[in-house]
Amino acid sequence: MDFKILGPIEVRAANGRPIALGRRKQRVLLAALLLNAGKAIPTQRMLDWLWEEQAPPTAESNLYTYISALRRVLGAPSRIEAGSNGYVLRVAPGEIDVKLFEELAAQGRRMLSEGRNDVALERCTRAVGLWRAEAVLEGLSLPEPLRGEAARLERLRATVVDTSLEARLALGQHGEVLPDLEALTRGDPLNERLRAQFMLALYRSGRRADALAVYQSAREMLAAELGVDPGPDLIRVHQQILVDDAALAAPSPSITVRRFFAPAELPVDSAAFTGRAAEASRLRTALASAGSGPVVISAVAGAAGIGKSAFAVHVAHQVADRFPDGQLYVNLHGSTPNVKPLKPAEVLARLLRSLGDDAAASSEVDELAARFRSLTDGRRLLFLFDNARDAAQVRPLLPASPTCCVLITARRMLTSLDAVAHLRLDVMAEDEAITLLGRLVGDERVAADPRAARAIVRLCGGLPLAIRIAAARLVARSGLSLRALADRLAVEDHRLSELQADDRAVRACFMMSYRGLKAEQSRMFRLLSLLGGSDISVAIAAALADRSEEQTADLLDHLADVQLLEVCDADRYRMHDLLCLFARERTRQEETEEEQTKAVRRVLHSYLVITGAIGDVYNLRTRRNAKFGRPALGRFGPSPDDFTADHRTGSLDEAARSHAETTAVLRGIRNPVKAALDLGYLAEMHRLAGRPDMATLCYHEALEADLAGGAVGTYRTAEHWWGLGRAYQDLGDDARARECRHTSATIFQALHLINDDEKREIETSTGSDTLETILRYTRHGRGI
């Protein structure tokens, strides 16, 4: 939030939107709080300021109303705290213009006293530039105590102007400053310091007589108005002019050639930047604390395309005013397609040139870094190092002065850097993503088809890069409707190809991270796509890759470090939808179909072991294995010894997650006949393990696989319908159980395995029969 009182009172939200402050007394109250920001103001003092000696009986309740209204318009009740000593307005560093003005004013006076005239002039110019009018809180009638504080600030402004004039004269800018001095002297004719500076500027400009005339006019006015003679400073300048004192000569050109240069290298801020309000506030607060301790370093990490650069640039622009010595930007190209990462020596040489040091000729990193630290010492500088590869690339680039701030973006967390505040960006919330799409393509297009707009951002997985590319496609083709683009994106195999425009492509962005992986890491990344992006545990991933759990945990942790996986829980991981599509592409190109099938079967076996860990389920598994064959096993993954009978009553959440993971795995089996067999096998295990709800889900999946494999009306399909009926019976849903038994019996009859009487007997059974019991009804069971 931005508070301004150096002129008319004004408050702006984080997005730059002005906030309506309400009635006059409410604005006076806010002005009082701002003039005393961070200090407690007693209630009685506030009442005196607002009503002076004419406070009505309801004054105190009215004050509470104004406080509540201010809290509401400021959007945060904690902004105005109520304590035993009164009310306190809490503002973060850099949020109020008067604090920055006082800081710059103090720096300007100090720089002038140290002879650093160019820096002094820059500080004073920025300080005066914060004023939007001649008076503090212009247009707002203030009570007497507050008028005193306003007058103090206005006197300080005059002092800053005087300091800037002194610095300009010291820099030899007498010709440029003459018009300003003439106007200021005319507005304040009794100000002897202004008269002395005006005389000096005239003298250095070759107008000696005019300078003496200014003194004569001042002497006459002081005598007439105040009855006094000119002061010693004015008399001294007059005497020096009379004798052409060499001390009045303008500075030599060698002194005036070097002018203070403040680089402003930040890239343009995105006009469509959306959301991230909480993260931006946190980062602004960190950057605003520069100078209060060690050098402030903040690192923003996140997956490819998550919007790290846009976010960092946006926040850097918001705090740029706090770094008057300059804001420097370098793209380190740590993950730029087809561009090599910059070497630290290259970056340091560039930074030194930006700071005005063209003499740096050394190629030694240590020497350049030492020179860089010397040049940045004591200067208020902001460095944005974008797209870093790793900590080793950034470490030599860090200044040592606490007056500097460093902002870094990288795909991985740079945890080996000391004293760094880390911030990780996640995908955008759906509403924020819709807003971003609207700003890019036009709110009217989004409003015309909001369902399609939501489909687009969902298919983009909330990834800002993907949303921007989708928007670029819509802008480039005005005839392309949001619905048409959503339909294109809905085709998984084509989605990444759709998400590319000009020099931007989601696939190329992912490829940079993928190419940085070692062989084992890239293999794990590819195989994970076979699970369809579902959550996965370390144990199951170990079975998938046929590696030990210890080795698998290391591989998964590395993939999470480079933002190719998300950590969901203590030992569970998930892959972003678009990354999963990319990994699936790589799998098809780099893994044989046989290896994919083996990996899926290893995972399936692991889930069957987990689900069938109870003794009576093992009996079913033994019979099923004899009939359908045992799944291919790997060397690693869960074993029956890992489970006990208490798995029968495992949590429903775990069972549901197991079902989601298992069906994702089975979708990776391209043979629907095998998938149907395994799903039926898994369904019966769920039922015997006391999870009939999971059993129904698996049986439905098995029937869909039957349909996909052309197995409708087969013995196996009838078996699945019978098992589904038993699961519904266990759930207490008798009606659905009867329907399933009827369907099963109808298929058996169509296969000529039972007659009409046997069909009726099956349909009217209790549903508690075992599969072996139903077999005796069939001709197959009777050996016919």
Side-chain angles (χ1 to χ4, degrees), residues 322-530:
R322 296 195 58 80
F323 302 95
D325 291 337
Q327 310 92 41
L328 295 93
Y329 171 88
V330 182
N331 185 344
L332 301 178
H333 294 298
S335 53
T336 304
N338 304 317
V339 180
K340 290 184 178 180
L342 294 182
K343 297 179 180 179
E346 297 177 274
V347 181
L348 286 167
R350 172 176 167 177
L351 292 171
L352 290 170
R353 288 193 298 271
S354 292
L355 293 169
D357 185 355
D358 297 319
S362 174
S363 60
E364 294 294 328
V365 172
D366 291 343
E367 184 177 340
L368 289 170
R371 192 175 188 125
F372 171 71
R373 289 192 293 271
S374 296
L375 195 60
T376 56
D377 184 52
R379 300 176 70 174
R380 296 188 67 84
L381 295 162
L382 174 64
F383 296 92
L384 174 48
F385 298 130
D386 193 15
N387 198 6
R389 178 185 57 190
D390 52 30
Q393 186 188 27
V394 174
R395 192 172 285 108
L397 314 179
L398 302 178
S401 175
T403 58
C404 297
C405 271
V406 179
L407 180 55
I408 308 166
T409 71
R411 291 192 180 179
R412 63 191 308 170
M413 301 282 280
L414 306 180
T415 52
S416 63
L417 291 179
D418 296 332
V420 174
H422 296 281
L423 177 65
R424 185 182 182 278
L425 293 186
D426 205 343
V427 295
M428 299 184 74
E430 187 173 291
D431 289 344
E432 290 183 347
I434 291 288
T435 302
L436 174 61
L437 184 65
R439 290 182 179 178
L440 292 168
V441 305
D443 291 333
E444 64 284 352
R445 291 183 74 177
V446 170
D449 196 347
R451 293 184 64 182
R454 291 194 176 275
I456 288 173
V457 300
R458 277 197 287 264
L459 291 167
C460 289
L463 197 69
L465 174 64
I467 296 169
R468 288 180 178 276
I469 292 174
R473 297 286 305 276
L474 291 166
V475 170
R477 297 183 56 186
S478 57
L480 179 64
S481 69
L482 271 69
R483 173 49 54 193
L485 180 60
D487 291 341
R488 291 185 180 186
L489 293 174
V491 182
E492 287 190 348
D493 289 345
H494 297 162
R495 190 177 305 164
L496 293 180
S497 297
E498 292 290 339
L499 291 175
Q500 56 185 12
D502 295 331
D503 60 341
R504 287 182 171 183
V506 170
R507 182 186 286 112
C509 196
F510 291 162
M511 184 64 78
M512 286 301 299
S513 294
Y514 178 73
R515 286 176 177 167
L517 300 176
K518 296 178 181 178
E520 277 290 302
Q521 297 161 354
S522 60
R523 176 177 178 268
M524 175 63 77
F525 175 70
R526 291 192 299 270
L527 293 180
L528 288 172
S529 69
L530 298 175

Side-chain angles (χ1 to χ4, degrees), residues 32-148:
L33 291 166
L34 287 169
L35 287 170
N36 295 272
K39 302 175 183 177
I41 307 176
T43 300
Q44 187 56 51
R45 187 177 303 170
M46 285 187 172
L47 296 174
D48 293 341
W49 287 349
L50 292 176
W51 285 280
E52 298 180 326
E53 296 179 357
Q54 301 175 352
T58 60
E60 193 163 347
S61 62
N62 290 347
L63 173 62
Y64 297 151
T65 301
Y66 296 147
I67 292 287
S68 297
L70 282 177
R71 286 171 172 163
R72 186 169 57 255
V73 299
L74 296 180
S78 59
R79 276 285 183 184
I80 304 176
E81 296 180 0
S84 57
N85 295 324
Y87 291 95
V88 182
L89 176 68
R90 298 297 183 189
V91 294
E95 283 191 319
I96 181 169
D97 58 355
V98 67
K99 297 297 183 184
L100 180 57
F101 166 71
E102 291 179 312
E103 183 179 332
L104 289 171
Q107 291 175 12
R109 292 195 300 272
R110 186 174 71 253
M111 294 297 104
L112 185 67
S113 67
E114 294 174 1
R116 299 174 63 182
N117 301 311
D118 52 353
V119 183
L121 176 58
E122 193 273 340
R123 296 292 194 277
C124 292
T125 302
R126 293 179 70 87
V128 174
L130 293 172
W131 287 69
R132 295 165 294 114
E134 294 296 319
V136 173
L137 296 164
E138 187 174 86
L140 189 62
S141 178
L142 298 174
E144 185 60 35
L146 297 183
R147 284 201 295 271

